[in-house]
Amino acid sequence: MVSHSGLITVMERAVRKAAPRLRRDFGEVQNLQVSRKGPADFVSMADKQAEETIVAELRNARPDWGLLVEEAGEIKGDPSKPRWIVDPLDGTTNFLHGIPHFAISIAVDDPVNGITHGMVYQPMTDEGFWAEKGRGAWVQGNRLRVSSRRDLADCIVSTGIPFLGHGDFTQWSRIFGAVAPEVAGIRRFGSAALDLAWVAAGRYDAFWESGLKPWDVAAGYLLVKEAGGFITDYRGTDRALEKGEVLAANDLLHSRLHKLVATSLR
Ligand code: IPD
Ligand code: CA
Ligand code: CA
Protein backbone atom coordinates (compact mmCIF):
# COMPACT_ATOMS: atom_id res chain seq x y z
CA MET A 1 0.00 0.00 0.00
CA VAL A 2 1.42 3.39 -0.98
CA SER A 3 1.90 5.85 1.89
CA HIS A 4 0.45 9.32 1.63
CA SER A 5 0.47 12.55 3.57
CA GLY A 6 -1.92 13.50 6.34
CA LEU A 7 -3.75 15.82 3.97
CA ILE A 8 -4.82 12.94 1.77
CA THR A 9 -6.10 11.21 4.91
CA VAL A 10 -8.11 14.34 5.78
CA MET A 11 -9.61 14.45 2.28
CA GLU A 12 -10.38 10.76 2.35
CA ARG A 13 -12.11 11.09 5.70
CA ALA A 14 -14.22 13.97 4.34
CA VAL A 15 -15.35 12.12 1.20
CA ARG A 16 -16.08 8.94 3.15
CA LYS A 17 -18.24 10.89 5.57
CA ALA A 18 -20.26 12.53 2.78
CA ALA A 19 -20.55 9.49 0.50
CA PRO A 20 -23.10 7.26 2.36
CA ARG A 21 -25.65 10.06 2.41
CA LEU A 22 -25.03 10.81 -1.28
CA ARG A 23 -25.53 7.13 -2.11
CA ARG A 24 -28.76 7.04 -0.09
CA ASP A 25 -30.05 10.23 -1.69
CA PHE A 26 -29.15 8.89 -5.11
CA GLY A 27 -31.34 5.87 -4.35
CA GLU A 28 -34.19 8.19 -3.43
CA VAL A 29 -33.52 10.71 -6.13
CA GLN A 30 -37.21 11.10 -6.95
CA ASN A 31 -38.00 12.29 -3.43
CA LEU A 32 -35.31 14.95 -3.25
CA GLN A 33 -36.41 18.53 -2.98
CA VAL A 34 -35.00 20.10 -6.07
CA SER A 35 -34.69 23.80 -6.72
CA ARG A 36 -33.55 25.41 -9.94
CA LYS A 37 -30.39 27.51 -9.88
CA GLY A 38 -30.64 28.19 -13.60
CA PRO A 39 -31.61 26.35 -16.74
CA ALA A 40 -30.37 22.77 -16.59
CA ASP A 41 -28.22 23.61 -13.60
CA PHE A 42 -29.98 22.07 -10.62
CA VAL A 43 -28.98 22.26 -7.04
CA SER A 44 -30.28 19.45 -4.92
CA MET A 45 -30.44 18.99 -1.19
CA ALA A 46 -27.84 16.29 -1.73
CA ASP A 47 -25.34 18.86 -3.04
CA LYS A 48 -25.86 21.10 -0.05
CA GLN A 49 -25.75 18.36 2.54
CA ALA A 50 -22.60 16.83 1.06
CA GLU A 51 -20.99 20.26 0.98
CA GLU A 52 -21.84 20.94 4.64
CA THR A 53 -20.42 17.58 5.73
CA ILE A 54 -17.22 18.05 3.74
CA VAL A 55 -16.69 21.66 4.82
CA ALA A 56 -17.21 20.76 8.50
CA GLU A 57 -14.71 17.92 8.24
CA LEU A 58 -12.07 20.01 6.43
CA ARG A 59 -12.48 22.98 8.79
CA ASN A 60 -12.18 20.70 11.75
CA ALA A 61 -8.86 19.35 10.42
CA ARG A 62 -7.41 22.75 9.37
CA PRO A 63 -9.38 25.49 11.19
CA ASP A 64 -7.34 28.40 9.79
CA TRP A 65 -7.53 27.44 6.11
CA GLY A 66 -9.94 29.16 3.74
CA LEU A 67 -12.18 27.33 1.29
CA LEU A 68 -13.58 27.85 -2.19
CA VAL A 69 -16.72 25.74 -2.46
CA GLU A 70 -19.37 25.61 -5.14
CA GLU A 71 -22.46 26.47 -3.12
CA ALA A 72 -21.10 28.53 -0.19
CA GLY A 73 -18.53 30.35 -2.39
CA GLU A 74 -15.43 31.70 -0.72
CA ILE A 75 -14.88 31.11 2.99
CA LYS A 76 -11.95 33.26 4.09
CA GLY A 77 -9.04 31.86 6.04
CA ASP A 78 -5.44 32.82 6.79
CA PRO A 79 -4.14 34.07 3.40
CA SER A 80 -0.66 32.74 4.09
CA LYS A 81 -2.07 29.21 4.41
CA PRO A 82 -3.42 26.92 1.67
CA ARG A 83 -7.13 26.78 0.90
CA TRP A 84 -9.41 23.91 0.00
CA ILE A 85 -11.25 23.90 -3.34
CA VAL A 86 -14.34 21.70 -3.20
CA ASP A 87 -17.04 20.47 -5.54
CA PRO A 88 -19.29 18.35 -3.30
CA LEU A 89 -21.11 16.80 -6.26
CA ASP A 90 -19.69 17.03 -9.77
CA GLY A 91 -22.22 15.58 -12.17
CA THR A 92 -25.37 16.91 -10.51
CA THR A 93 -27.43 16.54 -13.67
CA ASN A 94 -26.48 12.85 -13.85
CA PHE A 95 -27.34 12.46 -10.17
CA LEU A 96 -30.79 13.94 -10.61
CA HIS A 97 -31.49 11.75 -13.60
CA GLY A 98 -30.50 8.56 -11.79
CA ILE A 99 -27.27 8.15 -13.77
CA PRO A 100 -24.59 6.76 -11.41
CA HIS A 101 -21.70 8.85 -12.71
CA PHE A 102 -20.75 11.68 -10.35
CA ALA A 103 -17.96 12.52 -7.93
CA ILE A 104 -16.72 14.58 -5.02
CA SER A 105 -13.68 16.70 -5.89
CA ILE A 106 -11.33 18.23 -3.30
CA ALA A 107 -8.02 20.01 -3.88
CA VAL A 108 -5.45 21.88 -1.80
CA ASP A 109 -4.41 25.21 -3.31
CA ASP A 110 -1.18 26.47 -1.77
CA PRO A 111 -0.40 30.23 -2.05
CA VAL A 112 3.17 29.47 -3.19
CA ASN A 113 3.09 26.04 -4.82
CA GLY A 114 -0.36 26.02 -6.45
CA ILE A 115 -2.38 22.79 -6.39
CA THR A 116 -0.45 20.35 -4.20
CA HIS A 117 -3.06 17.67 -3.40
CA GLY A 118 -6.17 16.47 -5.20
CA MET A 119 -8.83 13.83 -4.72
CA VAL A 120 -11.70 12.80 -6.99
CA TYR A 121 -13.93 10.23 -5.30
CA GLN A 122 -16.69 8.33 -7.06
CA PRO A 123 -19.22 7.26 -4.40
CA MET A 124 -21.05 4.66 -6.52
CA THR A 125 -17.91 2.69 -7.37
CA ASP A 126 -15.95 3.60 -4.21
CA GLU A 127 -13.02 4.65 -6.37
CA GLY A 128 -10.79 7.34 -4.89
CA PHE A 129 -8.30 8.93 -7.29
CA TRP A 130 -5.72 11.08 -5.52
CA ALA A 131 -2.48 12.89 -6.28
CA GLU A 132 0.24 14.72 -4.40
CA LYS A 133 2.51 17.15 -6.18
CA GLY A 134 5.80 15.39 -6.94
CA ARG A 135 4.55 12.06 -5.53
CA GLY A 136 2.39 10.72 -8.33
CA ALA A 137 -1.28 9.95 -8.85
CA TRP A 138 -2.96 6.86 -7.48
CA VAL A 139 -6.17 4.88 -7.34
CA GLN A 140 -6.75 2.12 -4.77
CA GLY A 141 -2.99 1.74 -4.23
CA ASN A 142 -2.18 1.57 -7.95
CA ARG A 143 -0.13 4.21 -9.73
CA LEU A 144 -1.97 6.13 -12.43
CA ARG A 145 -0.44 6.73 -15.86
CA VAL A 146 -2.02 8.57 -18.75
CA SER A 147 -2.62 6.45 -21.84
CA SER A 148 0.38 5.68 -24.00
CA ARG A 149 -1.53 5.72 -27.29
CA ARG A 150 0.21 7.74 -29.98
CA ASP A 151 -2.24 7.46 -32.84
CA LEU A 152 -5.37 9.64 -32.76
CA ALA A 153 -7.23 6.99 -34.78
CA ASP A 154 -7.11 4.67 -31.72
CA CYS A 155 -8.18 7.27 -29.19
CA ILE A 156 -11.29 7.87 -27.13
CA VAL A 157 -11.63 11.56 -26.38
CA SER A 158 -13.95 12.93 -23.74
CA THR A 159 -15.52 16.39 -23.75
CA GLY A 160 -18.12 18.55 -22.05
CA ILE A 161 -20.81 19.82 -24.40
CA PRO A 162 -22.33 23.27 -23.77
CA PHE A 163 -25.96 23.11 -22.68
CA LEU A 164 -28.91 25.41 -22.13
CA GLY A 165 -27.54 28.78 -21.03
CA HIS A 166 -24.06 27.42 -20.40
CA GLY A 167 -20.95 27.52 -22.57
CA ASP A 168 -19.90 28.54 -26.06
CA PHE A 169 -21.57 26.17 -28.51
CA THR A 170 -19.93 27.69 -31.61
CA GLN A 171 -16.46 27.21 -30.19
CA TRP A 172 -17.26 23.67 -29.02
CA SER A 173 -18.70 22.68 -32.43
CA ARG A 174 -15.62 23.93 -34.23
CA ILE A 175 -13.35 21.84 -32.03
CA PHE A 176 -15.68 18.86 -32.32
CA GLY A 177 -15.71 19.23 -36.12
CA ALA A 178 -11.91 19.11 -36.16
CA VAL A 179 -11.38 16.32 -33.61
CA ALA A 180 -14.26 13.85 -34.18
CA PRO A 181 -13.26 12.75 -37.71
CA GLU A 182 -9.71 11.94 -36.48
CA VAL A 183 -10.47 9.73 -33.46
CA ALA A 184 -12.04 6.37 -32.55
CA GLY A 185 -14.76 7.99 -30.45
CA ILE A 186 -15.99 10.95 -28.46
CA ARG A 187 -17.67 10.64 -25.03
CA ARG A 188 -19.70 13.07 -22.91
CA PHE A 189 -20.31 11.49 -19.49
CA GLY A 190 -21.15 14.65 -17.51
CA SER A 191 -18.54 15.03 -14.75
CA ALA A 192 -15.48 17.10 -15.60
CA ALA A 193 -13.70 15.95 -12.41
CA LEU A 194 -14.12 12.32 -13.45
CA ASP A 195 -13.24 13.13 -17.07
CA LEU A 196 -9.86 14.36 -15.83
CA ALA A 197 -9.42 11.46 -13.38
CA TRP A 198 -10.12 9.06 -16.24
CA VAL A 199 -7.54 10.76 -18.45
CA ALA A 200 -5.07 10.32 -15.56
CA ALA A 201 -6.08 6.65 -15.39
CA GLY A 202 -5.59 6.17 -19.14
CA ARG A 203 -9.28 5.28 -19.66
CA TYR A 204 -9.78 8.30 -21.85
CA ASP A 205 -6.89 9.34 -24.07
CA ALA A 206 -7.79 13.03 -23.92
CA PHE A 207 -10.36 15.56 -22.71
CA TRP A 208 -11.41 19.07 -23.70
CA GLU A 209 -13.93 21.48 -22.19
CA SER A 210 -14.26 25.21 -21.53
CA GLY A 211 -16.43 27.27 -19.18
CA LEU A 212 -15.31 25.22 -16.18
CA LYS A 213 -14.95 26.47 -12.61
CA PRO A 214 -11.94 25.96 -10.31
CA TRP A 215 -13.82 23.31 -8.30
CA ASP A 216 -14.48 21.28 -11.48
CA VAL A 217 -10.81 21.30 -12.49
CA ALA A 218 -8.45 21.73 -9.50
CA ALA A 219 -8.12 18.12 -8.31
CA GLY A 220 -8.24 16.60 -11.81
CA TYR A 221 -5.60 19.05 -13.00
CA LEU A 222 -3.08 17.62 -10.52
CA LEU A 223 -4.18 14.03 -11.23
CA VAL A 224 -3.41 14.47 -14.93
CA LYS A 225 -0.05 16.15 -14.29
CA GLU A 226 1.06 13.59 -11.74
CA ALA A 227 0.00 10.78 -14.08
CA GLY A 228 2.46 12.13 -16.64
CA GLY A 229 -0.07 14.03 -18.76
CA PHE A 230 -0.22 17.52 -20.21
CA ILE A 231 -3.00 19.91 -19.28
CA THR A 232 -3.25 23.37 -20.82
CA ASP A 233 -5.80 25.86 -22.08
CA TYR A 234 -6.71 25.84 -25.80
CA ARG A 235 -3.73 28.08 -26.59
CA GLY A 236 -1.38 25.57 -25.04
CA THR A 237 -0.46 27.69 -22.00
CA ASP A 238 -0.41 26.54 -18.39
CA ARG A 239 -3.54 28.56 -17.54
CA ALA A 240 -6.15 25.81 -17.73
CA LEU A 241 -7.18 26.26 -14.13
CA GLU A 242 -7.51 30.07 -14.16
CA LYS A 243 -9.32 30.08 -17.50
CA GLY A 244 -11.51 27.03 -16.88
CA GLU A 245 -10.47 25.90 -20.35
CA VAL A 246 -8.90 22.48 -20.54
CA LEU A 247 -7.09 20.32 -23.05
CA ALA A 248 -5.59 17.24 -21.40
CA ALA A 249 -3.77 14.24 -22.90
CA ASN A 250 -0.39 12.51 -23.05
CA ASP A 251 2.45 14.58 -24.54
CA LEU A 252 2.22 13.49 -28.18
CA LEU A 253 -1.57 13.45 -28.38
CA HIS A 254 -1.69 16.81 -26.64
CA SER A 255 0.44 18.43 -29.31
CA ARG A 256 -1.63 16.82 -32.12
CA LEU A 257 -4.91 17.82 -30.54
CA HIS A 258 -3.62 21.27 -29.78
CA LYS A 259 -2.87 21.78 -33.47
CA LEU A 260 -6.39 20.65 -34.42
CA VAL A 261 -7.95 22.89 -31.77
CA ALA A 262 -5.82 25.92 -32.70
CA THR A 263 -6.62 25.51 -36.41
CA SER A 264 -10.33 25.08 -35.75
CA LEU A 265 -10.48 28.28 -33.68
CA ARG A 266 -8.50 30.44 -36.11
C1 IPD B 1 -20.65 20.19 -14.25
C2 IPD B 1 -19.98 18.92 -14.76
C3 IPD B 1 -20.13 18.80 -16.26
C4 IPD B 1 -19.59 20.01 -16.97
C5 IPD B 1 -20.23 21.29 -16.44
C6 IPD B 1 -20.05 21.39 -14.93
P1 IPD B 1 -21.76 20.20 -11.82
O1 IPD B 1 -20.50 20.34 -12.85
O2 IPD B 1 -18.61 18.90 -14.43
O3 IPD B 1 -19.45 17.67 -16.75
O4 IPD B 1 -19.87 19.88 -18.34
O5 IPD B 1 -19.61 22.39 -17.07
O6 IPD B 1 -20.69 22.57 -14.46
O7 IPD B 1 -22.67 21.35 -12.08
O8 IPD B 1 -22.39 18.90 -12.06
O9 IPD B 1 -21.06 20.31 -10.49
CA1 CA C 1 -18.85 20.72 -11.05
CA1 CA D 1 -21.27 20.58 -8.31
Side-chain angles (χ1 to χ4, degrees):
M1 187 61 194
V2 58
S3 72
H4 52 60
S5 72
L7 284 176
I8 297 290
T9 309
V10 169
M11 292 155 106
E12 194 168 6
R13 211 176 289 140
V15 299
R16 292 211 176 273
K17 202 143 191 197
R21 176 70 195 254
L22 273 180
R23 281 193 285 265
R24 208 164 63 231
D25 285 348
F26 181 72
E28 291 174 17
V29 84
Q30 310 302 345
N31 304 327
L32 284 175
Q33 296 174 50
V34 177
S35 64
R36 267 174 187 254
K37 188 162 72 174
D41 192 4
F42 302 103
V43 178
S44 65
M45 286 305 292
D47 269 302
K48 289 184 188 133
Q49 256 141 11
E51 182 169 302
E52 277 164 24
T53 304
I54 293 164
V55 168
E57 199 63 28
L58 298 178
R59 294 217 84 176
N60 190 34
R62 295 291 184 277
D64 48 353
W65 288 19
L67 293 100
L68 178 64
V69 275
E70 186 174 10
E71 302 305 332
E74 186 150 11
I75 302 169
K76 293 243 183 274
D78 179 343
S80 69
K81 298 274 168 66
R83 62 173 183 167
W84 302 101
I85 302 183
V86 180
D87 190 339
L89 177 50
D90 186 59
T92 307
T93 308
N94 280 345
F95 187 93
L96 287 170
H97 285 254
I99 298 170
H101 188 80
F102 52 86
I104 299 168
S105 173
I106 306 179
V108 173
D109 182 16
D110 181 271
V112 178
N113 300 309
I115 307 298
T116 56
H117 298 73
M119 177 169 291
V120 175
Y121 177 74
Q122 195 171 4
M124 302 310 287
T125 59
D126 193 32
E127 269 186 320
F129 302 86
W130 59 269
E132 278 188 61
K133 196 169 187 173
R135 299 196 58 201
W138 305 82
V139 66
Q140 329 289 71
N142 297 314
R143 184 104 195 220
L144 294 177
R145 292 294 309 167
V146 290
S147 112
S148 55
R149 290 195 185 86
R150 317 301 280 170
D151 193 347
L152 277 178
D154 299 328
C155 290
I156 296 272
V157 180
S158 161
T159 185
I161 306 177
F163 49 93
L164 196 60
H166 188 102
D168 180 342
F169 190 73
T170 307
Q171 182 196 57
W172 181 85
S173 336
R174 284 195 183 158
I175 299 173
F176 176 74
V179 174
E182 306 288 335
V183 299
I186 304 271
R187 301 287 182 271
R188 198 296 192 238
F189 280 9
S191 161
L194 280 173
D195 288 330
L196 288 165
W198 284 21
V199 170
R203 296 177 187 173
Y204 293 142
D205 299 291
F207 169 65
W208 92 86
E209 184 168 1
S210 62
L212 292 167
K213 303 288 187 210
W215 45 81
D216 300 317
V217 183
Y221 171 88
L222 188 65
L223 282 167
V224 170
K225 284 199 152 185
E226 288 295 324
F230 274 59
I231 175 162
T232 68
D233 63 6
Y234 294 165
R235 302 178 76 135
T237 78
D238 193 23
R239 297 188 55 224
L241 195 52
E242 297 99 288
K243 287 169 76 177
E245 186 181 277
V246 171
L247 177 63
N250 71 33
D251 54 350
L252 185 68
L253 292 177
H254 187 281
S255 92
R256 294 202 174 137
L257 286 167
H258 176 241
K259 274 191 199 110
L260 290 174
V261 169
T263 312
S264 72
L265 297 181
R266 213 168 272 151

